[in-house]
């Protein structure tokens, strides 16, 4: 497996801000990662774009919080808790 894809998957699983950006606009997030030095080939990009975006949230939920990079950005208001 290509080292860049391993790093990118690690970011998707452990970096909340990157995961949010990827969910919002996967192509832009991948472009930003490439601009930051991660070399992804066309096949890897296609595979990432075709992967169920909920997968990254499910995997992140299973990773110990000590390994997570939490977001400090304010969260948009959601539905009121009952």
């Amino acid at each position: 497996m290509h080292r860049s894809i391993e790093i990118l998957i690690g970011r998707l699983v452990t970096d909340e801000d990157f995961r949010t950006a990827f969910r919002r606009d996967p192509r832009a997030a991948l472009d930003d990662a490439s601009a930051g030095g991660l070399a992804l080939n066309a096949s890897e990009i296609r595979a990432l774009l075709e992967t169920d975006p909920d997968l990254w949230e499910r995997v992140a939920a299973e990773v110990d919080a000590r390994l997570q990079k939490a977001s400090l950005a304010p969260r948009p208001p959601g539905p009121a808790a009952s």
Side-chain angles (χ1 to χ4, degrees), residues 24-48:
R24 186 175 28 250
D25 188 344
R27 177 68 67 175
L30 295 177
D31 288 346
D32 288 346
S34 292
L38 291 181
L40 302 170
N41 65 42
S43 177
E44 291 166 335
I45 291 169
R46 257 191 329 278
L48 287 163

Side-chain angles (χ1 to χ4, degrees), residues 1-80:
M1 183 179 287
H2 196 268
R3 182 75 179 136
S4 290
I5 196 71
E6 293 172 359
I7 292 168
L8 188 101
I9 289 171
R11 282 190 67 195
L12 282 167
V13 172
T14 63
D15 184 335
E16 185 177 3
D17 286 337
F18 183 69
R19 195 168 50 253
T20 298
F22 185 82
R23 285 186 70 90
R24 186 175 28 250
D25 188 344
R27 177 68 67 175
L30 295 177
D31 288 346
D32 288 346
S34 292
L38 291 181
L40 302 170
N41 65 42
S43 177
E44 291 166 335
I45 291 169
R46 257 191 329 278
L48 287 163
L49 294 174
E50 293 172 3
T51 298
D52 176 5
D54 292 334
L55 171 69
W56 311 120
E57 295 293 337
R58 290 192 309 266
V59 174
E62 296 297 323
V63 172
D64 189 296
R66 294 172 289 186
L67 301 175
Q68 294 283 347
K69 179 180 176 185
S71 174
L72 299 177
R75 295 190 185 272

